[in-house]
Amino acid sequence: MKKICIEISEEQQEQMRAYLEKCFKTSIQEECMDGYTITLSVSPFGSELEVAMYGKVELGDVKWKIE
């Protein structure tokens, strides 16, 4: 089976972690357990990563590969 590997910077990882922590706290307060979506957008101009739960956060340019 193949894997899609996405490389993110320390800053992008911290931004994603902080966003998801905030969203999970909201889920607990509202007593609903929603999931989140990670979207990799690929174009001839580059690749960008986005995380969505209650709204979205764009993490910007990333490197990715299929192994």
Side-chain angles (χ1 to χ4, degrees), residues 24 27 30 32-36 53-54:
F24 289 139
S27 279
E30 295 181 4
C32 63
M33 296 305 294
D34 289 337
Y36 59 93
M53 189 168 182
Y54 296 118

Side-chain angles (χ1 to χ4, degrees), residues 20-66:
L20 290 174
E21 278 183 6
K22 178 183 153 196
C23 290
F24 289 139
K25 286 179 185 177
T26 301
S27 279
I28 290 169
Q29 290 171 350
E30 295 181 4
E31 298 179 354
C32 63
M33 296 305 294
D34 289 337
Y36 59 93
T37 304
I38 297 175
T39 305
L40 174 64
S41 300
V42 180
S43 76
F45 305 108
S47 303
E48 294 188 349
L49 194 66
E50 173 184 289
V51 179
M53 189 168 182
Y54 296 118
K56 66 181 176 181
V57 63
E58 295 178 4
L59 299 175
D61 294 334
V62 294
K63 294 180 183 178
W64 68 279
K65 62 184 174 186
I66 296 176

Side-chain angles (χ1 to χ4, degrees), residues 5-9 12 49 60-65 67:
C5 299
I6 301 170
E7 295 179 29
I8 60 175
S9 68
Q12 288 169 316
L49 194 66
D61 294 334
V62 294
K63 294 180 183 178
W64 68 279
K65 62 184 174 186
E67 294 181 338

